[in-house]
């Protein structure tokens, strides 16, 4: 079954053609990150207007790359929430219009569910040689195995979710304030780094780590150059990142002050602010004006620490065979490495999508749609956008 997926929930416009929920025929994403970088974050009005101008060329490119025409498509799927109302409306309306024009089944997809289903995607068009028309499309070799723990970490959501089967979600914990991606974006802004903040912080942190390693310092030293608070919220699987963000604000003010002070050949007035939080102030000073990178490394480590430990604890309590990462922050290399280290001794498999399927894309929309269509579900063309949509959680 060939599904055309459409994604337009925020500042990426995506169209993809996926076979049987897993195999990639095409995946086109047009990002507006450069435009929003100017403002340090997404401007909703700009995002929706940009979606309008991009959607048709992106769709045409997706069909072209897959080498198929409208006649080959079996169903259309588009994100209907959560996200920015104006942006969602563009993709959803185009999806419904195509379904109506070609008389195809239509399915509205929950963007968060789609992030999870990015773990079912293969980067190939090759279909398993053993698969035949009557094979079990619910499970194919290489698919994640239930019960499954999902760490959903995107720009607006941070949730630990237990899945016992397709479409079955139990909420174990969620953020009480900022989402992990939101924290990365806000802290990048505080540090004067680019939008989106996640990749910018990862790059800055990587640079600091490499430099310190060259100086013979250990990685632990680099990752903990600044002592930052961690909100453990023990006894729950909830998260909180706002205290960490505030600590970063204070530290960054100090670091920027320190840079200015170094210019004036004096550290008198600002040194105190930094040393209040610094365990290895000497290390930071040796690096002169590049404290921002060390700050980025320490911040990233604080986020990774909490996410990894809580995920490990939940995976042990719920006896899962496998953990999957979902959402933009799942692209973070340090998080992936750390979680591998936490889970390997427990014989729990960690799976994450390739980087291009972690951030917003339409391939994951088509994948999630496939499993709904398998169950005979589809939506009417009166489906509206739901900007505040959450995963369809069942009661524990
Ligand atoms: O899932 P996503 O593309 O969009 C939403 O559905 O929100 O996630 C975007 C978020 C942004 O906050 C971005 O900074 C973060 O994912 N992100 C990362 C990395 N790449 C993207 N965070 C940490 N490390 C990364 N490498
Ligand atoms: Zn997303």
């Amino acid at each position: 079954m060939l599904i055309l997926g459409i994604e337009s929930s925020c500042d990426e416009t995506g169209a993809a053609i996926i076979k049987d929920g897993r195999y990639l025929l095409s995946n086109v994403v047009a990002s507006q990150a450069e435009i929003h970088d100017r403002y340090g974050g997404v401007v909703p009005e700009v995002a929706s207007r940009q979606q309008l101008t991009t959607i048709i060329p992106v769709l045409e490119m997706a069909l072209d790359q897959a080498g198929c025409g409208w006649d080959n498509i079996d169903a259309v799927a588009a994100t209907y929430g959560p996200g920015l109302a104006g942006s969602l409306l563009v993709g959803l309306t185009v999806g419904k219009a195509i379904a109506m024009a070609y008389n195809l089944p239509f399915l509205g997809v929950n963007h968060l569910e789609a992030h999870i289903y990015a773990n079912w995607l293969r980067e190939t068009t090759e279909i398993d040689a053993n698969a035949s028309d009557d094979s079990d499309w619910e499970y194919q070799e290489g698919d994640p195995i239930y019960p499954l723990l999902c760490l959903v970490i995107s720009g607006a959501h941070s949730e630990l979710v237990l899945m016992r089967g397709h479409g079955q979600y139990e909420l174990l914990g969620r953020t009480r304030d900022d989402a992990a991606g939101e924290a990365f974006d806000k802290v990048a802004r505080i540090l004067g780094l680019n939008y989106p903040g996640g990749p910018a912080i990862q790059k800055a942190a990587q640079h600091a780590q490499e430099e310190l390693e060259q100086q013979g310092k250990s990685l632990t030293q680099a990752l903990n150059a600044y002592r930052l608070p961690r909100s453990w919220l023990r006894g729950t699987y909830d998260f909180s990142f706002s205290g960490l963000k505030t600590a970063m604000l204070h530290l960054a003010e100090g670091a920027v002050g320190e840079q200015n002070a170094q210019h004036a050949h004096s550290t008198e007035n600002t040194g105190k602010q930094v040393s209040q939080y610094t365990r290895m102030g000497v290390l930071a000073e040796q690096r002169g004006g590049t404290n921002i990178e060390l700050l980025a490394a320490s911040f990233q480590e604080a986020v990774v620490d909490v996410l990894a430990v809580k995920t490990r604890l939940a995976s042990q309590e719920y006896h899962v065979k496998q953990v999957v990462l979902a959402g933009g922050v799942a692209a973070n290399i340090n998080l992936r490495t750390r979680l591998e280290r936490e889970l390997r001794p427990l014989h729990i498999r960690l799976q994450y999508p390739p980087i291009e399927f972690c951030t917003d894309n339409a391939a994951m929309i088509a994948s999630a749609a496939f499993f709904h269509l398998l169950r005979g579900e589809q939506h009417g063309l009166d489906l509206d956008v739901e900007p505040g949509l959450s995963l369809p959680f069942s009661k524990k």
Side-chain angles (χ1 to χ4, degrees):
M1 180 193 271
L2 285 197
I3 302 178
L4 166 68
I6 300 172
E7 156 62 29
S8 74
S9 65
C10 190
D11 60 338
E12 260 100 23
T13 316
I17 297 176
I18 300 295
K19 188 171 169 65
D20 300 327
R22 302 170 176 88
Y23 307 98
L24 188 79
L25 270 68
S26 67
N27 183 38
V28 179
V29 181
S31 171
Q32 308 171 14
E34 256 178 53
I35 299 170
H36 299 286
D37 185 23
R38 252 177 275 162
Y39 309 102
V42 177
V43 183
E45 288 79 4
V46 177
S48 56
R49 231 172 301 140
Q50 203 62 29
Q51 292 283 2
L52 266 179
T53 55
T54 324
I55 189 93
I56 301 298
V58 164
L59 270 168
E60 284 171 346
M61 221 184 281
L63 278 173
D64 208 41
Q65 280 182 14
C68 59
W70 294 114
D71 291 353
N72 305 111
I73 305 293
D74 298 303
V76 183
T79 311
Y80 75 107
L84 301 171
S87 288
L88 284 167
L89 198 59
V90 175
L92 182 65
T93 308
V94 168
K96 290 193 293 188
I98 294 170
M100 188 162 80
Y102 295 98
N103 201 19
L104 292 169
F106 174 77
L107 200 97
V109 172
N110 181 319
H111 180 87
L112 294 169
E113 185 171 49
H115 270 304
I116 294 174
Y117 274 89
N119 286 285
W120 271 257
L121 288 168
R122 328 282 206 260
E123 281 176 293
T124 166
T125 54
E126 290 301 310
I127 294 175
D128 189 331
N130 301 321
S132 64
D133 277 352
D134 47 303
S135 71
D136 179 8
W137 288 115
E138 289 268 330
Y139 178 78
Q140 295 267 297
E141 207 175 326
D143 286 354
I145 297 163
Y146 299 116
L148 188 64
L149 182 69
C150 314
L151 177 63
V152 184
I153 33 177
S154 70
H157 292 82
S158 296
E159 283 160 11
L160 263 172
V161 176
L162 184 67
M163 267 183 99
R164 296 190 194 275
H166 284 297
Q168 296 170 31
Y169 305 98
E170 248 175 62
L171 180 66
L172 305 183
R174 63 173 12 144
T175 182
R176 295 188 182 176
D177 39 60
D178 292 346
E182 188 181 356
F184 269 98
D185 293 338
K186 286 180 177 167
V187 165
R189 205 167 157 169
I190 290 170
L191 297 180
L193 300 172
N194 290 347
Y195 170 84
I201 286 184
Q202 180 174 295
K203 195 168 156 211
Q206 187 67 31
H207 197 245
Q209 286 166 30
E210 282 166 11
E211 244 184 62
L212 284 170
E213 275 171 24
Q214 273 171 16
Q215 291 170 22
K217 307 264 178 358
S218 76
L219 185 62
T220 320
Q221 273 181 302
L223 297 180
N224 295 289
Y226 292 91
R227 197 184 327 144
L228 291 168
R230 276 113 164 111
S231 240
W232 290 109
L233 300 170
R234 288 183 207 283
T236 77
Y237 291 117
D238 283 352
F239 303 105
S240 165
F241 297 107
S242 69
L244 176 60
K245 184 185 64 190
T246 308
M248 288 299 291
L249 190 63
H250 291 307
L251 275 166
E253 280 167 359
V256 170
E258 188 180 290
Q259 264 177 308
N260 293 342
Q262 276 171 358
H263 274 293
H265 300 288
S266 152
T267 52
E268 266 176 26
N269 51 349
T270 52
K272 278 189 215 103
Q273 257 177 301
V274 178
S275 58
Q276 193 182 331
Y277 293 92
T278 308
R279 197 195 305 163
M280 292 198 259
V282 181
L283 195 66
E285 275 159 29
Q286 276 170 2
R287 293 172 45 79
T290 56
N291 283 351
I292 295 297
E293 289 179 349
L294 270 182
L295 274 172
S298 301
F299 164 77
Q300 181 175 257
E301 178 63 8
V303 176
V304 164
D305 212 8
V306 175
L307 290 175
V309 169
K310 293 216 150 201
T311 303
R312 197 243 306 143
L313 289 172
S315 68
Q316 286 174 290
E317 180 175 345
Y318 289 91
H319 306 288
V320 296
K321 290 187 170 54
Q322 207 176 328
V323 170
V324 300
L325 303 182
V329 185
N332 190 275
I333 306 293
N334 286 45
L335 176 67
R336 292 171 169 203
T337 316
R338 171 68 185 274
L339 262 172
E340 295 265 15
R341 224 174 50 225
E342 296 275 343
L343 298 176
R344 200 177 301 121
L346 303 169
H347 306 288
I348 296 171
R349 201 175 127 206
L350 176 69
Q351 191 169 332
Y352 38 78
I355 293 199
E356 68 268 28
F357 297 147
C358 286
T359 47
D360 289 350
N361 66 86
M364 66 184 194
I365 304 298
S367 178
F370 174 76
F371 293 95
H372 282 282
L373 291 164
L374 266 192
R375 298 197 289 272
E377 297 167 19
Q378 67 183 71
H379 282 118
L381 297 182
D382 55 349
L383 181 74
D384 202 355
V385 296
E386 280 196 45
L389 190 67
S390 62
L391 280 170
F393 293 119
S394 57
K395 297 255 174 334
K396 263 204 236 179

